[in-house]
Amino acid sequence: MFLQDCAMAHDLSATDVLRGTCRWLLRAGVNPLAEVPLSGGRRADILGVDAAGRLTLVEIKISLADLRGDRKWPDYLDHCDRFFWAVPAGLPTGDLNTPAFRPEQTGLIVADRFDAEAVREAPWRPLNPARRKAITLALARRAAHRWLGLVDPESALLGYD
């Protein structure tokens, strides 16, 4: 089991949680992309798409202060078919079981640097098809642009719309 040392939570960064969570998503058949801009000026920590075209959004929180101070997260529910919180192993998760964090609509992933585990599955809530298409196209375009930037860094000078 990857959660061997829960006392390490304070040593884990958002990048660590991102890495472990992305590995879990890949095993679950979801291709993730990090730091994805959304409409309304929001940004998803992770947005991924599965083979059926369903969108999974993950919000990473590495401290209780960060979690408790986030008032914008309900806006993310309009950009995905399911929503997960991802936290480092060892972070207390009691707040995520309260009505303010809508546990009936959100899943919970506990992660470390190497792996993750869904301790509460997120329910699927189908998006409006037109909205899903717009978000999926934007995700695909962003992923393609990032890939091109890896193989041709000068292409970034050409911009992204």
Side-chain angles (χ1 to χ4, degrees), residues 102-126:
R102 303 184 195 177
E104 72 286 350
Q105 294 180 22
T106 63
L108 176 58
I109 296 169
V110 176
D112 66 14
R113 292 177 181 99
F114 306 103
D115 209 347
E117 177 181 356
V119 296
R120 183 176 66 227
E121 282 295 329
W124 292 101
R125 299 175 310 103

Side-chain angles (χ1 to χ4, degrees), residues 1-2 7 11 19 24 32 54 60 76 97 110 116 141 153:
M1 183 79 194
F2 78 98
D11 294 334
R19 181 179 182 216
W24 179 84
R54 299 178 301 182
I60 295 171
Y76 295 141
N97 295 318
V110 176
R141 289 176 48 81

Side-chain angles (χ1 to χ4, degrees), residues 25-36:
L25 287 165
L26 285 167
R27 280 195 317 278
V30 176
N31 289 19
L33 191 64
E35 302 291 328
V36 179

Side-chain angles (χ1 to χ4, degrees), residues 35-108:
E35 302 291 328
V36 179
L38 304 170
S39 63
R42 302 286 183 229
R43 179 199 43 78
D45 290 330
I46 304 172
L47 184 62
V49 62
D50 68 11
R54 299 178 301 182
L55 298 167
T56 298
L57 193 149
V58 180
E59 178 70 0
I60 295 171
K61 296 297 177 189
I62 62 167
S63 72
L64 287 177
D66 185 23
L67 176 67
R68 292 172 178 162
D70 188 348
R71 301 287 183 242
K72 68 187 182 313
W73 79 267
D75 296 347
Y76 295 141
L77 297 175
D78 293 332
H79 294 89
C80 61
D81 294 292
R82 70 177 177 169
F83 177 94
F84 282 95
W85 296 102
V87 300
L91 185 78
T93 58
D95 286 17
L96 293 170
N97 295 318
T98 65
F101 291 95
R102 303 184 195 177
E104 72 286 350
Q105 294 180 22
T106 63
L108 176 58

